[in-house]
Amino acid sequence: MFCGVHPPASVQLTNPSLYRVQKTPSLSPRPSSLSSLPLEGVNPSNGHLGVFSSDDGPSTSCPGAVQGKILILTICAAGIGGTFQYGYNLTIINAPTVFIQSFINETWLDRTGAALEGKMITLVWSFIVSVYPLGGLVGALIAAPMAVKMGRKKSLLLNNAFVALAALLVGFSRLAKSFEMILLSRFFAGINSGVAMSIQPMYLGESAPKELRGAVAMTSASFTALGLVLGQVAGLREILGAEESWPILLASNVVPGLIQLMLLPWAPESPRYLLIDRGDQDSCIAALQQLRGSEDLSGEMKEILAEQAALQGQAAKAPWELWRNRAVRWQFITVVVLSSAMQLCGNDSMYFYASSVFQEAGIPYDKIQYSVIGTGSCELIMSMTCVRICVGRRVLLIGGYSLMATWAILVTCGALPNLPISPHPPPFTCPTTLSAFMACIFAYILSFGIGPAGVTGIIPTEIFDQVSRPAAYTISGSLLWINLFLVGLAFPFVMESLGYYCYLPFFTVCVGTALYAWFFLPETKGKSFLEISEEFVKRNFGDRPRDNAWVCPEEIISTKL
């Protein structure tokens, strides 16, 4: 007997030997009176689910080492072709701005015999920049059906077809004398990033053990920041940022995709997807064994089976169903608030226009490219540091947005010693003032990396169940890309209208998000998906009776294998 649920008929525990509990020399020997008993299903020393055969002897295997290797492979394989692509594609477009604009004008001149006006060149360039988040929106919308029908791992592998097509288009655009190919390339690169941004954190969150789930999912932010930095480095004039090499720079996004195609096939599929969505218990156990080594899998299998039993007969939810379903009302609101704040705080839009911001601040032209690299490096350092920080998601969100609000108000309200009162000030002439301005910008980005960059991606995985999770990521991804498009489009006009006061709107967003997390977001660190669900059940229903709520682990009835 053990504490569990009645597994559905389609996933009876027919092969318990697949999740064997390995004994080590440090364990007490099994009593001789039990040595002849077929103790399938229960570990007599601790009551855990597993199998002890009578010929089991001391094991010299290293489950932790096996788990670490496979888990690291899964993280790296998913990340390099996943959120890495988002960061990389976000920054490689910055360096060749002038060269692409010249190419647009030259192409138009060859076609029509007349040069384009400056405003028309700017308009075409704006379309090239803006079509990337539009492609990302399309990718976010198709990510959920892909994740449900093909699985998390296969979806990430197939997603590389979009970036391969994007690289081919932009790589041959100058040879074909077509700036429209650059436009299409950025659109397909956006689709690739949109799919990856939705599926990668879902895949990692479902594959990681409960104790490491937050740290593993936060690596998505680390890969985003790594992509930002490497995109900025690749765009240096000494590397691929020269006029003759910009097509190679923009086509270089195919390299991470090829690396993922080589590595990801060796990683397992999400165990939760295999059991709950496909009903394939044997594949689920095999995937768990790959990810956990030879550890006792009874606790995790019990939790997954409990979730499967609670969701039995339910189909994957559509995005619009989440709002109508009272059982996930506060989860829906939380995803809307946090996903919108990710872009409305203005951090990612900074990468689109970093060169312009630093130029307006009076930084010498030959130093701007290195200042831009500094912004990405700040986010990379903090995102990697946060993987090691042993505090909860709620604390990281509140702390990150509160610090961002602090730096924004310092820039806005005259904390800088020589900041002019006019909203249209000239470039800084005082080195101290310029240094303080740069320090505030870097501190703002560092604060974003402390929590919002890493925590936001894992929240939908933790607060939604298996049938609602893909729809939640569709909503989250769609809001992320729509707001990136809107803020990216509006940022130049905000900067022109408000000057150094342009951080006032971002300050408002940061304060509002920090307050929301303080009052409405429960802590999810170290809790099972069932326990997190119970937190939101109380908020959604109060003390009233409710249907389709998960049961707590203590309430799960016992069953015999």
Side-chain angles (χ1 to χ4, degrees), residues 304-559:
I304 299 175
L305 286 167
E307 184 176 356
Q308 185 199 39
L311 300 175
Q312 191 173 19
Q314 297 187 44
K317 297 289 192 297
W320 54 86
E321 292 181 275
L322 298 187
W323 171 248
R324 297 203 300 258
N325 186 357
R326 185 177 179 83
V328 294
R329 180 69 51 82
W330 275 102
Q331 292 96 309
F332 176 88
I333 295 172
T334 298
V335 165
V336 169
V337 171
L338 297 184
S339 301
S340 299
M342 271 282 286
Q343 298 302 339
L344 295 180
C345 72
N347 185 79
D348 284 359
S349 300
M350 171 67 79
Y351 293 111
F352 279 139
Y353 302 102
S355 297
S356 301
V357 171
F358 292 139
Q359 185 176 353
E360 289 292 325
I363 295 177
Y365 175 75
D366 59 332
K367 305 295 183 185
I368 287 178
Q369 59 178 346
Y370 303 108
S371 300
V372 170
I373 293 175
T375 61
S377 300
C378 287
E379 187 170 334
L380 175 61
I381 291 169
M382 288 311 302
S383 63
M384 295 183 70
T385 302
C386 282
V387 173
R388 308 287 301 179
I389 294 177
C390 298
V391 297
R393 322 314 184 224
R394 182 171 174 270
V395 174
L396 289 173
L397 279 172
I398 295 171
Y401 279 116
S402 298
L403 286 173
M404 291 171 71
T406 301
W407 301 120
I409 205 65
L410 285 178
V411 172
T412 303
C413 294
L416 301 178
N418 296 321
L419 183 65
I421 300 302
S422 167
H424 307 286
F428 293 117
T429 55
C430 174
T432 303
T433 303
L434 179 57
S435 299
F437 174 79
M438 293 293 296
C440 286
I441 295 294
F442 287 148
Y444 192 86
I445 296 170
L446 283 168
S447 302
F448 179 78
I450 284 177
V455 175
T456 306
I458 183 62
I459 290 295
T461 296
E462 294 189 316
I463 67 177
F464 282 94
D465 57 38
Q466 191 76 12
V467 297
S468 302
R469 196 171 293 135
Y473 270 104
T474 295
I475 295 169
S476 174
S478 299
L479 288 170
L480 186 149
W481 290 103
I482 290 172
N483 286 304
L484 177 62
F485 172 76
L486 293 176
V487 176
L489 203 62
F491 189 80
F493 301 101
V494 173
M495 193 167 61
E496 182 180 349
S497 303
L498 299 179
Y500 295 127
Y501 301 145
C502 66
Y503 274 82
L504 265 180
F506 304 146
F507 165 78
T508 305
V509 171
C510 293
V511 170
T513 308
L515 290 174
Y516 178 87
W518 178 275
F519 288 107
F520 301 108
L521 182 66
E523 183 53 72
T524 60
K525 176 180 169 60
K527 297 179 181 178
S528 70
F529 291 129
L530 294 173
E531 292 168 331
I532 296 169
S533 176
E534 277 298 301
E535 293 275 354
F536 278 99
V537 164
K538 296 173 185 176
R539 187 172 297 279
N540 288 322
F541 294 98
D543 296 327
R544 286 176 290 180
R546 63 270 189 186
D547 297 325
N548 298 326
W550 289 3
V551 291
C552 291
E554 305 82 52
E555 298 170 335
I556 299 174
I557 59 176
S558 63
T559 184

Side-chain angles (χ1 to χ4, degrees), residues 6-20:
H6 290 297
S10 61
V11 291
Q12 289 292 330
L13 301 177
T14 57
N15 193 8
S17 62
L18 284 174
Y19 39 105
R20 180 183 303 273

Side-chain angles (χ1 to χ4, degrees), residues 118-158:
K119 290 184 178 179
M120 288 301 299
I121 295 175
T122 303
L123 180 63
V124 175
W125 172 247
S126 298
F127 280 133
I128 291 174
V129 172
S130 301
V131 78
Y132 176 67
L134 290 180
L137 174 61
V138 174
L141 292 174
I142 66 174
M146 288 176 65
V148 171
K149 293 180 180 178
M150 293 185 292
R152 290 33 166 166
K153 175 182 164 182
K154 288 182 181 178
S155 297
L156 288 173
L157 289 170
L158 182 62

Side-chain angles (χ1 to χ4, degrees), residues 10 66 82 97 221-223 236 243 249 253 340 404 445 463 510 537:
S10 61
V66 174
T97 298
S222 299
F223 277 100
L236 290 173
E243 183 172 7
L249 172 64
N253 56 6
S340 299
M404 291 171 71
I445 296 170
I463 67 177
C510 293
V537 164

